[in-house]
Amino acid sequence: MARKAIKYKTTQPPKFAVRKYNRCPLCGRVHGYMRRFNMCRCCFRKLAREGKIPGVVKSSW
C-alpha cells in the first residue's frame, strides 16, 4: 500500500516547485536517477546488460 500511495503522490503536482524530485518509472527508485536515460542506475544496468538501450555498450578494462 505504501508504494501505491507514493506512486499516486508523484502524479500530483507539488505545492512548491522545489519539492519536485525524479523517480524511476520502472521501479520507483528515487536515488541514483539518471536524467539522460530517465531511469535509476539499477534499471539502467539491467537493461544495458540485456542490450535494450541503444548506443550503450559495456566498457572493459
Side-chain angles (χ1 to χ4, degrees), residues 6-48:
I6 290 171
K7 284 192 177 186
Y8 174 74
K9 188 176 146 186
T10 58
T11 61
Q12 302 296 328
K15 191 171 182 180
F16 303 103
V18 295
R19 289 188 182 171
K20 185 176 184 326
Y21 56 91
N22 296 317
R23 183 175 286 275
C24 178
L26 304 173
C27 66
R29 187 179 168 88
V30 180
H31 298 289
Y33 181 85
M34 292 189 278
R35 289 183 185 178
R36 184 174 176 184
F37 299 101
N38 190 31
M39 63 182 74
C40 69
R41 61 178 177 82
C42 304
C43 295
F44 173 79
R45 190 163 185 255
K46 185 177 82 174
L47 293 175

